[in-house]
Structures are given as C-alpha cells and as structure tokens.
Amino acid sequence: AEEQTPRRGFTTAPLTITVITPDSSVPRLRASAFSGTVLENSAPGTPVLDESGAPVTLSVSDPDLLPGEQAPPYQFELTTGAFKVTPVGELVVAVPQLDRDSPNTPTHTFQVVAREVVEGDKRGAASDPLSLEVTLGDVNDNPPRFPLLPPVLIPAGSKPLAITTGIPSKTFALQEEATAETFTAPPLHPSISQDDISLCQPLISLHNKLCQASNVLGEMN
C-alpha cells in the first residue's frame, strides 16, 4: 500500500493465491485386464477372473486433481446388464443363471465408462470407454442325449447285422446272427421326448409280438 502524499510511504504484506484447475480433463479409466472368465450359472457378485486367477479390477484417475486433493466419487456405466462394477472397482456377475449353452452365447463383449458424480441433475464428465470381454466357463449342467432308433426285426438264426443310425461316427452292431447286410436308418433327432415314446410304443409292441412268434416257429422247426 502506498501513501498518496508527497512522502509516498508504502508497506507490503504477503499474499498467497491458489489457482484452481478447471474441470477440463475427463477421468482416465484403467483395467487390470481386458478379458476374463467366470463359470456359467455363477451367483451374482462372483468376480470375473483374469488368466492368472486374479479378479479383474478397474481404477480411475483425474488429471485435474492437484496433489493431495480428494477425488470426486465415480459411477461405472456398462453397456450390458450381465455384469457390474462394485464400488471398490471389481468386475462381478450382476444377474443369476448366466448360461453359455445355445441359444445363448459363451462370450460377452461390452464397454464401460467411469463418470463423475455431481450434485443436481448435471451429468459429470465421463472417461473414454474401455472394451472388455468375459467368457463363461462350461458347467456340466445338461443331461446327455441318446438317439432314438427305429425297431429292427432280425430273423432268428441269422448272421451278424450292422446297423448305422445316420448319426456321424455312431454305429450300433447287434450281437445276433443275421444276414451280412448293412441297414442304414434315416437320420433322427438325437433326443427322446415323451411324444416320441408314445408314437413308438405300438411299433415296439408289434416288434415284441413278432419276435415271440419267430421264436415259436424256430422251436417248432
């Protein structure tokens, strides 16, 4: 301060000014791994693991923050509802009964961003998106399927007969003596339903009766 007199005396005092950096930079999102695995049908909250077996984690930094300045809270936004990020940054399963079997897919590819949480209706700055991929591990949760074969009549006293079901690499040989011919059955859907059993019951009954009659005729001869 300076006197407004001919003497023009003056004095000084220290003044500290802190320059606050404006929120001009978006948060930076990092992931410990960009791909991971988790078993299908895992319970919600199960962590996704990277190839080393460690949980996949996400972290956020902000270039606008000064040393020692407290970071604002962030929320994670994902383009999938199957997974979520916990408050501590772990990628976990979000919904029950994630299935990898058809018609579902064993691989989930999605994006995630970190957004600053601000007061009011304003939307805070968001990070650039990261692409993540999660593969569902297989669990033996489906029963095996057995092909339904049509009834085949084999005359008593015949030579061995090989029967091919029409399913690749599946050949059933009857341990009976029959003619040295090969019978190829039409391709069938490799599963048995209650309707299939009901439709085949009359044929099976007829087959059993014919076998009994053939045995009787064989004994008479």
Side-chain angles (χ1 to χ4, degrees), residues 153-154 156 204-220:
L153 300 181
I154 306 296
I204 295 174
S205 177
L206 177 60
H207 166 70
N208 293 336
K209 291 180 180 179
L210 290 174
C211 287
Q212 292 175 359
S214 178
N215 292 336
V216 172
L217 291 177
E219 293 175 358
M220 293 177 61

Side-chain angles (χ1 to χ4, degrees), residues 147-195:
L148 177 64
L149 300 178
V152 178
L153 300 181
I154 306 296
S158 15
K159 296 180 180 180
L161 172 66
I163 299 178
T164 303
T165 65
I167 302 173
S169 303
K170 298 291 183 181
T171 301
F172 295 81
L174 297 181
Q175 302 301 319
E176 299 283 348
E177 291 188 353
T179 59
E181 298 178 355
T182 299
F183 172 77
T184 302
L188 297 173
H189 192 281
S191 62
I192 299 176
S193 66
Q194 193 62 39
D195 293 338

Side-chain angles (χ1 to χ4, degrees), residues 37-143:
T37 59
V38 66
L39 291 178
E40 63 175 336
N41 301 325
S42 294
T46 303
V48 177
L49 306 180
D50 61 19
E51 59 182 7
S52 68
V56 175
T57 58
L58 291 91
S59 59
V60 186
S61 61
D62 195 333
D64 290 329
L65 296 178
L66 296 176
E69 188 175 0
Q70 184 177 2
Y74 300 97
Q75 65 182 15
F76 297 94
E77 300 174 0
L78 287 71
T79 58
T80 177
F83 302 93
K84 67 179 181 180
V85 180
T86 66
V88 296
E90 278 194 1
L91 182 64
V92 299
V93 176
V95 296
Q97 298 180 348
L98 277 180
D99 195 3
R100 60 166 280 145
D101 301 315
S102 179
N104 301 296
T105 175
T107 303
H108 293 254
T109 302
F110 53 91
Q111 292 185 323
V112 55
V113 300
R115 185 181 299 277
E116 293 181 358
V117 178
V118 296
E119 296 180 357
D121 297 332
K122 296 181 180 180
R123 289 174 60 85
S127 68
D128 293 331
L130 284 183
S131 293
L132 302 179
E133 181 178 275
V134 177
T135 301
L136 300 179
D138 190 24
V139 173
N140 190 14
D141 56 348
N142 292 313

